[in-house]
Amino acid sequence: MTGAKTAVEWLASVAPDPEACRWEWERNPLGVALLPAGSAWDVLILPGELGYATLDVLSRVLDQPGPVLVDFGDERMGFFVPPGTAARWLGTGIRTAGAGTWIVVPYPGRSSPGGVRWLVPPDGSGLLTDPALLELAMHEAAAGLATSSGD
């Protein structure tokens, strides 16, 4: 299977009706579906500026971070992390999507005409970002942002 096809299967597997999810992705003009968080992954949602800086730090220390979404205005960035992370997360200013929540997910491998898009698309392997590494990267990114804004 190609990366996009396996990514579609991996993402759709959490939907109450995976076939309906795939149908929605194929027919929705925005190329998005609503999926439940909390079973295969949780999402930590960072403010855009911190998110981009954090992704930059992660990209320097990891070959491949887990999937990362960004919203249409680059205002928020969502990092896919292991299920259960959202319930334990204590970071100030970070929103979470875990068990009992739903998120808008774009079709992997296809750019949508606005709205949510993948910065790091899923590869179908189930790779997620380690929350401890994400937290360390966030601290380094925040320190860098604080230093650059203090100039």
Side-chain angles (χ1 to χ4, degrees):
M1 277 204 228
T2 66
K5 183 164 176 54
T6 57
V8 167
E9 297 303 316
W10 178 69
L11 289 167
S13 72
V14 303
D17 182 345
E19 282 301 316
C21 175
R22 287 189 285 277
W23 187 90
E24 179 72 16
W25 264 328
E26 292 169 7
R27 285 157 186 80
N28 182 321
L30 297 177
V32 297
L34 196 57
L35 293 177
S39 62
W41 35 261
D42 284 357
V43 183
L44 297 181
I45 305 163
L46 283 61
E49 184 180 27
L50 177 61
Y52 275 103
T54 300
L55 182 58
D56 183 54
V57 172
L58 280 175
S59 297
R60 285 185 267 139
V61 296
L62 295 174
D63 289 334
Q64 173 79 22
V68 180
L69 292 172
V70 67
D71 71 4
F72 59 91
D74 288 357
E75 295 294 319
R76 289 175 298 278
M77 190 177 295
F79 290 81
F80 279 51
V81 293
T85 302
R88 296 185 305 272
W89 194 262
L90 300 174
T92 303
I94 308 303
R95 294 174 48 203
T96 62
T101 63
W102 294 71
I103 65 166
V104 174
V105 179
Y107 187 91
R110 187 185 312 152
S111 59
S112 64
V116 179
R117 68 185 188 283
W118 292 107
L119 283 181
V120 179
D123 62 8
S125 72
L127 174 70
L128 299 168
T129 298
D130 179 291
L133 286 176
L134 180 60
E135 183 176 15
L136 290 172
M138 285 173 31
H139 286 292
E140 184 175 327
L145 291 170
T147 301
S148 67
S149 68
D151 291 340

